[in-house]
Amino acid sequence: MFSRRNFSLAAGMAAAVALTAGAMIASTANASPLVAPGEPAPAFIGLDSEGQSVALADFEGKTVVLEWTNDGCPFVQKHYAAPPSNMQSLQADAATDDVVWLSVISSAPGKQGHVSGTQANALTASRDATPAHVILDPSGDIGRLYGAKTTPHMFVIKPDGMLAYEGAIDSKPSARVSDIDTATNYVRAALTSLAADEPVEVASSKPYGCSVKYE
């Protein structure tokens, strides 16, 4: 729980992959977020993968995590790879500590990562993910409200509705699963600090990943 625990053709192809990954990171990392830590988290209402209306206000008094996601993105796949099931572990620990985890899909129709509610539910089940809700945002309205730039892009909201953290999931902007163990997980650190009623040491970082596939 958060409160307790803390070369040739091949070379050319590898270089191309590295350049592509680098471009995806560079194209998004330097822009400023629309909402900064210490400011009120923007209110929203959306439909989840079950067709239910979900509002941020529904979780007043609770810590909330927003995770922008796209299952076709290699950076998202890194954190959902099993093992080590990095994102799934965070979600499970959040639920244990009564933290509300909302996965948000802002991919527009026809774009990478766009799914129906049924497809989203099947994806959640197939990778043993446990978000409280998967919010479908095909219009991109919620994503743009928060200035979500990458998948993943993470936001942690305090029980009083103020933003505690925004940015990358961790300190190693790569799509390599092997980097997870040696990275500083900013989301876990933020949740641990909030559970202990302590200031969040790293409240903002540059998000990395694939660009959110808005229209």
Side-chain angles (χ1 to χ4, degrees), residues 190-211:
L191 292 172
T192 298
S193 294
L194 291 178
D197 199 24
E198 297 174 350
V200 175
E201 183 176 351
V202 178
S204 185
S205 68
K206 292 180 180 181
Y208 70 86
C210 306
S211 60

Side-chain angles (χ1 to χ4, degrees), residues 43-77:
F44 65 82
I45 300 175
L47 291 179
D48 70 6
S49 57
E50 300 288 351
Q52 300 175 342
S53 178
V54 177
L56 181 60
D58 295 339
F59 311 110
E60 183 178 358
K62 292 189 175 185
T63 299
V64 176
V65 176
L66 302 181
E67 169 216 354
W68 262 265
T69 188
N70 163 6
D71 70 291
C73 173
F75 297 89
V76 170
Q77 293 167 2

Side-chain angles (χ1 to χ4, degrees), residues 102-175:
L102 304 178
S103 298
V104 186
I105 302 175
S106 293
S107 296
K111 298 292 185 72
Q112 184 192 63
H114 177 76
V115 292
S116 66
T118 299
Q119 290 169 326
N121 290 337
L123 181 62
T124 296
S126 71
R127 57 191 185 184
D128 294 323
T130 55
H133 298 273
V134 178
I135 298 178
L136 305 182
D137 179 40
S139 68
D141 290 346
I142 301 174
R144 291 188 178 95
L145 185 64
Y146 276 79
K149 300 169 185 64
T150 64
T151 51
H153 192 162
M154 312 296 296
F155 297 79
V156 179
I157 303 168
K158 299 195 295 185
D160 63 2
M162 307 300 282
L163 190 67
Y165 174 80
E166 76 82 22
I169 184 173
D170 65 21
S171 61
K172 292 202 171 182
S174 84

